[in-house]
């Protein structure tokens, strides 16, 4: 244990026991755009032991207003190459793995203590949800657009993404449309995902799965909604 974590060690809910758990944890973050850049930055700086990052894009100029860590000189560079450099410079003690490809089901394995969905594509989100449910791997859903962000911790016994947003209804919600993004809601949503991850990895019994957190950073509205587990979730878990 080093002095760099002194302030979080003083948090009674974390302490030395929680920090050791964090240092022994391995997380998979899928997507290192807006949400993923905040999630990976905060977990690496907090001292997670190992993190695997998955993406396939290059950094674009339009990313810079909302995607943490990337700078102007990164434009045109593969996101994973750029972000690993910045993250490793922030904390050389963390093992950082990169997978440069689109998400596919074969990527999931039991080696991950937690999967964090930082993608912006609902078909991919549904696949991640289904794969995690089948494998019994806990994961954190997150999405944001305009001024609203949503985050939910999901395990095999809780409500899942399809309970929250049935596939046949998602198109009507406009969640897949590019309607613009307030950069601050990206920071808030990504930080909430990272906070959920930190809480689970340091104090796993304290996390309330199946509770949707909804944030509107224009109206400063914050809600928690307990999502009902639907039949589809039961079928996926068989």
């Amino acid at each position: 244990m080093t002095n760099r974590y002194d302030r979080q060690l003083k948090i009674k809910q974390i302490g030395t026991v929680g920090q050791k758990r964090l240092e022994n944890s391995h997380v998979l973050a899928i997507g290192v755009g807006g949400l993923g850049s905040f999630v990976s930055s905060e977990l690496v700086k907090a001292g997670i032991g190992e993190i695997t990052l998955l993406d396939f894009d290059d950094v674009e100029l339009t990313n810079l207003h909302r995607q943490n860590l990337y700078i102007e000189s990164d434009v045109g560079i593969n996101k994973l190459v750029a972000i690993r450099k910045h993250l490793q410079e922030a904390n050389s003690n963390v093992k950082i793995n990169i997978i440069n490809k689109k998400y596919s089901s074969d990527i999931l394995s039991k080696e991950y203590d937690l999967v964090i969905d930082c993608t912006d594509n609902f078909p991919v989100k549904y696949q991640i949800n289904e794969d995690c449910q089948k494998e019994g791997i806990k994961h954190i859903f997150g999405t944001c657009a305009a001024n609203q962000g949503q985050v939910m911790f999901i395990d095999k016994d809780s409500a899942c993404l399809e309970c929250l947003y049935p596939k046949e209804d998602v198109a009507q919600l406009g969640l897949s449309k590019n309607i613009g993004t307030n950069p601050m809601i990206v920071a808030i949503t990504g930080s909430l995902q990272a906070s959920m991850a930190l809480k689970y990895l340091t104090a796993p019994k304290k996390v309330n799965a199946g509770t949707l957190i909804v944030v509107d950073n224009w109206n400063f509205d914050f809600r928690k909604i307990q999502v009902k587990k639907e039949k589809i979730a039961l079928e996926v878990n068989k």
Side-chain angles (χ1 to χ4, degrees), residues 135-150:
E135 295 295 329
I137 300 173
K138 296 172 176 62
H139 85 283
I140 298 174
F141 158 79
T143 188
C144 60
N147 298 300
Q148 187 184 96
Q150 301 180 10

Side-chain angles (χ1 to χ4, degrees), residues 143-150 165 175 185 189 214-217 223:
T143 188
C144 60
N147 298 300
Q148 187 184 96
Q150 301 180 10
Y165 294 126
L175 294 170
I185 196 61
T189 307
V214 182
V215 182
D216 184 319
N217 77 313
R223 290 175 289 155

